[in-house]
Amino acid sequence: MHRLLIYSLFVCSSLAFQLPFSIPLFKTKESAHIEQAHVSPRIAIIGAGAGGSSAAFWISKAKQNFGIDVEIDVYERSDYIGGRSTVVYPYNDTTFAPLELGASIFVDANKNLMRASKEFNLTLTAFEDDDSDTGIWDGQNFVLVIESGSYLKSWWATLKVLWRYGYTAPSKTKAIVQSMIDRFLGLYTPDTPRWDDISVFSERFQLASMTNQTTSDFFEGNGVAPLFVRELVEAATRSQLRAGNVDQIHALGGAVSMAASGASGVVTGNFRIFEQFLENSTANVFLNTNVKEIKRKSGTALWTVSTSAGSQTYQGVILAAPFHQTDIILPSDLAELIPPQPYVDLHVTLLTTRSEHPRPEYFGLAPNAQVPATILSTYEGTRAGGVEPEFNSISYHGKVRKVDGAAGDAVTDPESTVKIFSKDRVTDEWLETVFGNVSWVYRKLWQAYPVLLPTSKFPPVKLDQGFYYVNAFEPYTVAARNVVDLLFHEEFGTGICGALLSGTENATQTAAPADFVLGWDC
């Protein structure tokens, strides 16, 4: 997919978006013991994904920087850390290299994850383009195929894009995406504002025009050729966990989907970053623990959190999970502040196969035809009355291999690994039709991203005194940093980097170095 986006933008930007070992402090439901009286104030974090784990880490930064004495409890109803960043192993054998089941990559512009990888000594692998071709499928035909390989093929691919979409469409799209990236990079600077209202934040960073229009309306309104938007841009928006068509999702989501260069992943799984956030935070982490209710403690500004393991009183609570998926009972006046939010139902299928490419017969091609190893899709043919694609994307991800240092013989004649995104569950019969022999299959239905409909209304960041909601905003590591700063200013009179709350005050500081990352470097 990355090659296709590079062709579409012409210039490969280095600033672009976005994803288990035993730790003594990690407790299971059975071992969790909730005490009833503590000297130190406590903060509860609900959720151990990107938002919750990084919130614990940011709290530890504030403790380290200013000696604030506070305990952290993190509750996670699953048995693992990482949320939508998790892995599985081919043939269910942990001696093989893991495959990302959820968020596969993060990118240079996600400075928190890049910095965390460096600080925690996690080995990254770059998702560079390989020698496979990429095609866009509309349900009946390949509307575009980008051949890889030789210099001549590269020029031919560029000419095909120009011929089909015109010269200005790629360059105008690049300008839109780069402008969005530049604004997001402002989230890591010393003068980044803190916000408890997403609408105000959206206006400050000039994102309102992107969040209240569809991708197609915004891009076409800025002069990008409609066919380019509805084929090539849509191929990007449909091939990620936030899957959506360009006439449905807002333009910010569409632009983020197009910003795919500079992509990396942790060799042993991206979830390692979030495990390290928690290990370095010294938080108490309770896995397999459902939070049942959060309510005010009568006559105080404190909160009582009731879980499947007991209850505890907290000075602050950070909800770092999508509220309407948690089944947590809140006071009615707070619950009604968080509007219902539908999430994308996306089926992810991982498999291994002897087939180096999908079978051409499925695509109506001759038996000896070469089918691209990466196939994205567009809904444009369906809009014109054609057949809807049965998948969002199909991508080959290399060969099955042993983990470095794993016992046993090396894999001889290894199979290929494949990842499929689809709106509906794909059957074994369908897999056999598309790939022939399939030896191992793993399926997962994700509700990982909200449906990104155009809007000017957002959930509140602050629900009440001492009670904050991370999932009102992405990227979650930035949202968590903001929430921790607001909470600590409210409860302790200082934040992660001191007592500065506004961008105006921070702007009086000396210029920060180019590699400065707010929260890490203060």
Side-chain angles (χ1 to χ4, degrees), residues 330-391:
L330 297 182
S332 58
D333 61 319
L334 300 186
E336 65 186 19
L337 294 176
I338 307 175
Q341 173 63 65
Y343 273 66
V344 175
D345 287 331
L346 186 69
H347 290 265
V348 178
T349 306
L350 294 172
L351 61 93
T352 60
T353 178
R354 295 285 177 200
S355 300
E356 299 286 341
H357 299 269
R359 299 173 71 178
E361 292 85 353
Y362 172 80
F363 299 94
L365 302 175
N368 61 346
Q370 184 81 355
V371 178
T374 299
I375 305 173
L376 313 181
S377 65
T378 171
Y379 198 74
E380 185 63 2
T382 313
R383 296 188 190 97
V387 176
E388 181 177 356
E390 294 182 305
F391 59 86

Side-chain angles (χ1 to χ4, degrees), residues 236-251:
T237 64
R238 287 170 55 86
S239 63
Q240 304 185 25
L241 288 179
R242 61 173 57 83
N245 297 331
V246 293
D247 55 359
Q248 297 173 330
I249 70 171
H250 59 56

Side-chain angles (χ1 to χ4, degrees), residues 44 422 481 502:
S422 59
R481 186 196 68 207
S502 72

